[in-house]
Amino acid sequence: MAGHFEPFTQMMTEPEEVIRAFLPELSLPPLIACVVHLTGETSILSRLHPPRLVNVVESAESGQDLMEGGYTPAEAQMIHDELMQAIAGFRSGDGKLPQLSTQVTQELLRFMSGGNVKEDYLEFISEEVALDGVDRRAVELDTDALKAAAKEFPVIIIGAGLGGVLAAIRLDEMGIPYTIIEKNPGIGGTWFENKYPGCRVDVSGHSYSYSFRPNHQWTSYYPLADEIRQYFDQSAEEYGVKQHIRFNTEVSQAIYHEDGGIWQVDIVGTDGQRETLKAKAVISAVGQLNRPKMPEIKGLDSFTGAVFHSAQWPDGFDPAGKRMAVIGSGASAFQIIPEMAQCASHLTVFQRSPVWMFPNPAYHTPVGKGQSWALHKLPFYSKWYRFWLFHVATEGVYDKTLVDPDWNKPGSVSASNEELRRQLTAWMESQVRSPDLLEKILPDYPPFGKRILQDNGTYLTALQQPNVELVTSGIVEIVENGVRTADGQLHEVDAIACATGFHADRFLFPMHVEGRDGIVLNEQWSDNNGRAYLGITIPNFPNLFCIYGPNTNLVVAGSIAHNAESQVNYALRCIRMLLESGHDSMACRQDVHDRYNDRVDEVNAGTAWGFSGVENWYKNSEGRVTANLPFRIIDYWKMTRKPDPADFVFD
Ligand code: NAP
């Protein structure tokens, strides 16, 4: 069974003054919960208000730390004092933690969630954090007949990134044999591929891990790509997944055969070797952002220097002393530009659209000794720290993304979105001296129209370096020695990094996937109009399940690891339902799928990213949002907890 539920066996042996010196580094809300766990009583809760969500902008304006729950310095002192007393009491006792009753645990959860939350929120967050150590997302088979049937139900997983490794771990728990087909020579998906300088995750690292395998080793709060790649590699190693992976191998086509409900999966190795595999089900975990999109710019091929996509950064490429160009200003460019500014002799940034950025002083901050101590040794700190990160992320900003139909001020979609716009503008203005530069970098679209990036000041500092030039005149062509823009200027450069995004609207691309009655997935989807029920199952494609499929990307609110767990949970419960039914196949009903997608489109249209006139990679060329989940993460969690047999056709 998956599960790393910490037994808290590491003793807090450090002297009192050492522990006290660690405390300022720690997040306050989890410390309140630690007091309750160490003492077994809840009186501290009556002396404090529940932790308050301080949004990142408010935090930057007031100087109050986002992770501090809105407590004053005097309250912080009180929390620290009570914690020190609780630790002293615990250390002088028998070494056993008090067992919290269900009632006390519920009271604590309610307090930590802000005091006024519904029961289903408590259930949702309890499952994610698993305070009691029970892994509620494991799918079990409880009869010998089911266990025997599982052994005869081979599954092919496509992709060994976050979703593929997760699906493998969970299938293995069910005793279902599986093979992973992975195009790369290693594990990690996007974290294996993206090796550009500065690549790091822009959600909190301590929530970017499987719920059953939290990682307390991250060396920074927003870890670099290679550390994340290692996490998935180690997860695969630990759960025995590696020996089931066919590396350097791509799926070229997958064809469903009605007779016996078999998927025929054709694979091809990088050595050209072809093979056909058979499976009872296919799980696609190929991601949304794994097929790099080079810009279609006249003359790109004529450039004589190095030109490459950000996700295909050449091994050993050294930008030092070169005249570099970066095309794009999205999440990848945002991380590459400060790195290039430091080493290139000259950097020209070609920006088509500017981006909004959130102030986040911790974006590059290493995890200190105190935080590391607490995560490893302070009982229950790691659980409540994850809880708090998750709570802040899920409850944080969703409402600010919703369109108020009565709002008609350009550049925002509601009063709260306008207020955010004001705050983000003030943050950017505080960093830039030149009005000309400011005019170029302030977006005219609403916050959340495109992904908002995490900023600790590095990006705008880089743009103001003497060796950096921001060009906003459109690119008209690339010539052998540079880039020509609409204002007639030729920008001579030695190398061009295209941080121009991915074929995000082409799901499962470029595989040929054929379902029932010869229906081709790409045709059903008209190339770029991916739709699935819950983003997971597709009519006419029996026993095919997608992880991170159409309309499952999270823009605000929550963690993609959590969402992948919801999808894997749903897919594997479908497989269990199929095994129980004795049928060969199950396919989602067309009407159920259509109704769901109508709702997805309706809600997406009422968000800042779905708003007409806003352009982003979440939309396809027809303007339909195909990438994003429009719902609150708790609602999606509820939808995916348990499949309803009435939603499927069984054969
Ligand atoms: P992206 O957000 O799609 O950005 C592509 C950029 O290239 C945009 O600025 C786009 O301009 C520009 N562009 C595209 N074609 C162009 C052309 N022909 N000429 C000039 N400019 C052009 O791609 P990305 O930066 O790779 O990020 C994609 C997603 O990956 C992110 O939103 C995020 O979800 C994920 N990501 C995450 C991280 C992280 O966790 N830190 C890092 C990187 C990526 P327009 O905006 O005008 O289209």
Side-chain angles (χ1 to χ4, degrees):
M1 159 128 3
H4 254 241
F5 294 110
E6 300 103 299
F8 309 112
T9 47
Q10 292 207 52
M11 298 303 291
M12 292 185 287
T13 49
E14 293 74 9
E16 192 187 321
E17 62 277 13
V18 171
I19 296 179
R20 197 171 262 286
F22 286 154
L23 299 185
E25 228 182 279
L26 308 183
S27 174
L28 282 173
L31 294 185
I32 301 169
C34 289
V35 171
V36 176
H37 281 283
L38 287 164
T39 60
E41 56 109 352
T42 56
S43 61
I44 187 170
L45 307 185
S46 62
R47 291 191 288 283
L48 291 164
H49 63 79
R52 195 167 65 75
L53 297 176
V54 179
N55 81 43
V56 278
V57 182
E58 209 185 312
S59 132
E61 284 184 345
S62 65
Q64 194 178 36
D65 193 320
L66 167 70
M67 296 308 291
E68 296 302 286
Y71 294 112
T72 62
E75 287 166 330
Q77 187 62 51
M78 191 264 263
I79 295 166
H80 287 172
D81 290 344
E82 295 221 12
L83 179 74
M84 290 311 295
Q85 277 171 30
I87 290 173
F90 172 68
R91 294 211 278 201
S92 64
D94 60 7
K96 291 201 183 95
L97 285 170
Q99 190 75 30
L100 300 192
S101 67
T102 311
Q103 197 191 350
V104 168
T105 306
Q106 289 290 309
E107 187 185 342
L108 183 53
L109 268 167
R110 195 172 288 282
F111 177 88
M112 293 290 288
S113 309
N116 185 22
V117 286
K118 294 193 184 134
E119 287 308 315
D120 57 0
Y121 184 78
L122 296 184
E123 208 181 332
F124 161 67
I125 198 100
S126 304
E127 183 189 291
E128 171 68 20
V129 182
L131 283 175
D132 56 4
V134 178
D135 178 7
R136 292 186 174 77
R137 292 186 188 148
V139 181
E140 281 163 12
L141 301 176
D142 43 17
T143 67
D144 289 344
L146 273 181
K147 286 179 187 157
K151 289 199 182 98
E152 306 303 319
F153 196 90
V155 174
I156 287 179
I157 301 169
I158 313 175
L162 182 158
V165 171
L166 171 66
I169 293 170
R170 293 307 199 184
L171 281 170
D172 191 57
E173 286 173 351
M174 292 171 77
I176 293 180
Y178 68 89
T179 303
I180 303 186
I181 310 299
E182 169 55 58
K183 69 176 167 18
N184 291 322
I187 288 167
T190 193
W191 301 111
F192 180 88
E193 290 175 13
N194 281 276
K195 297 187 169 101
Y196 61 76
C199 183
R200 62 172 71 232
V201 67
D202 64 4
V203 298
S204 249
H206 291 89
S207 63
Y208 199 86
S209 56
Y210 301 133
S211 61
F212 55 85
R213 190 174 183 267
N215 185 19
H216 306 324
Q217 318 293 339
W218 301 122
T219 59
S220 56
Y221 286 91
Y222 295 82
L224 288 163
D226 197 53
E227 227 178 292
I228 304 170
R229 179 197 64 72
Q230 284 176 46
Y231 168 79
F232 291 116
D233 192 85
Q234 286 157 5
S235 302
E237 181 76 48
E238 193 170 313
Y239 287 95
V241 171
K242 276 190 175 170
Q243 64 262 36
H244 299 274
I245 307 180
R246 303 274 300 258
F247 289 108
N248 294 310
T249 306
E250 282 201 44
V251 171
S252 56
Q253 61 173 17
I255 298 177
Y256 180 70
H257 293 279
E258 207 70 64
D259 193 13
I262 299 289
W263 277 96
Q264 172 202 318
V265 178
D266 294 345
I267 57 173
V268 53
T270 41
D271 55 4
Q273 203 82 25
R274 291 181 179 275
E275 202 181 325
T276 295
L277 308 177
K278 290 203 163 80
K280 293 288 290 181
V282 172
I283 296 180
S284 165
V286 298
Q288 291 192 0
L289 301 164
N290 77 332
R291 296 289 169 175
K293 192 169 168 186
M294 285 297 276
E296 286 171 18
I297 299 174
K298 187 178 140 202
L300 187 65
D301 292 343
S302 66
F303 185 67
T304 51
V307 54
F308 47 84
H309 190 273
S310 53
Q312 294 164 332
W313 199 269
D315 282 344
F317 174 77
D318 184 6
K322 290 195 172 66
R323 294 170 302 171
M324 285 293 304
V326 173
I327 301 180
S329 53
S332 302
F334 197 79
Q335 296 179 330
I336 293 169
I337 286 164
E339 300 289 323
M340 294 302 103
Q342 278 181 32
C343 61
S345 63
H346 190 267
L347 170 65
T348 315
V349 176
F350 294 92
Q351 172 197 284
R352 193 163 64 180
S353 322
V355 277
W356 287 113
M357 53 200 82
F358 271 131
N360 181 354
Y363 191 34
H364 291 173
T365 305
V367 171
K369 276 191 186 154
Q371 177 78 349
S372 179
W373 167 83
L375 287 166
H376 287 98
K377 295 194 175 179
L378 180 59
F380 283 95
Y381 179 82
S382 62
K383 292 269 185 204
W384 287 103
Y385 183 58
R386 185 170 173 118
F387 163 91
W388 184 238
L389 291 174
F390 195 77
H391 180 64
V392 170
T394 50
E395 292 300 283
V397 285
Y398 181 80
D399 289 340
K400 293 183 174 48
T401 71
L402 301 179
V403 176
D404 173 353
D406 297 327
W407 187 260
N408 57 13
K409 202 167 171 194
S412 55
V413 295
S414 67
S416 67
N417 186 265
E418 173 65 20
E419 172 58 11
L420 180 62
R421 179 188 182 87
R422 184 197 65 75
Q423 293 174 333
L424 297 180
T425 304
W427 165 244
M428 289 166 74
E429 282 172 348
S430 73
Q431 297 181 67
V432 173
R433 293 177 301 276
S434 149
D436 286 351
L437 179 61
L438 206 50
E439 199 183 327
K440 287 179 176 176
I441 59 162
L442 280 174
D444 58 5
Y445 58 83
F448 297 113
K450 295 179 194 276
R451 187 179 174 88
I452 304 187
L453 304 174
Q454 304 288 331
D455 179 46
N456 60 354
T458 318
Y459 180 75
L460 294 179
T461 303
L463 289 190
Q464 293 171 90
Q465 296 306 301
N467 63 332
V468 179
E469 184 187 3
L470 179 70
V471 175
T472 52
S473 178
I475 299 174
V476 289
E477 65 170 335
I478 291 180
V479 294
E480 60 177 14
N481 61 341
V483 180
R484 196 181 307 280
T485 43
D487 56 7
Q489 221 184 315
L490 172 66
H491 304 269
E492 289 190 26
V493 294
D494 302 316
I496 305 174
C498 301
T500 44
F502 299 85
H503 291 281
D505 60 355
R506 305 201 64 185
F507 293 88
L508 278 64
F509 170 75
M511 292 181 285
H512 173 85
V513 182
E514 213 173 296
R516 190 156 266 169
D517 303 325
I519 295 171
V520 176
L521 186 58
N522 200 27
E523 289 169 9
Q524 177 161 315
W525 282 349
S526 316
D527 283 345
N528 69 355
N529 198 8
R531 291 171 194 261
Y533 177 48
L534 302 171
I536 304 172
T537 75
I538 309 156
N540 303 317
F541 292 82
N543 302 1
L544 170 67
F545 304 98
C546 299
I547 311 302
Y548 201 20
N551 294 109
T552 57
N553 183 53
L554 296 173
V555 184
V556 293
S559 125
I560 206 77
H562 168 92
N563 248 27
E565 290 193 22
S566 290
Q567 289 149 15
V568 167
N569 168 69
Y570 184 88
L572 270 54
R573 281 175 201 275
C574 282
I575 290 177
R576 183 172 73 180
M577 203 161 73
L578 183 61
L579 294 175
E580 283 166 347
S581 76
H583 286 94
D584 281 328
S585 73
M586 59 190 297
C588 173
R589 273 175 36 193
Q590 187 73 47
D591 58 332
V592 170
H593 163 275
D594 292 352
R595 261 199 312 277
Y596 175 78
N597 277 281
D598 287 349
R599 181 82 188 119
V600 163
D601 290 349
E602 189 190 336
V603 183
N604 258 332
T607 60
W609 56 82
F611 203 49
S612 62
V614 172
E615 285 182 23
N616 49 46
W617 67 260
Y618 311 139
K619 290 180 177 174
N620 65 10
S621 49
E622 279 68 53
R624 176 177 173 259
V625 176
T626 51
N628 292 353
L629 180 75
F631 308 124
R632 283 179 190 275
I633 194 168
I634 183 172
D635 294 330
Y636 187 66
W637 170 78
K638 282 192 230 165
M639 293 174 202
T640 52
R641 284 191 92 184
K642 194 168 177 281
D644 181 349
D647 291 343
F648 292 88
V649 181
F650 290 86
D651 281 298

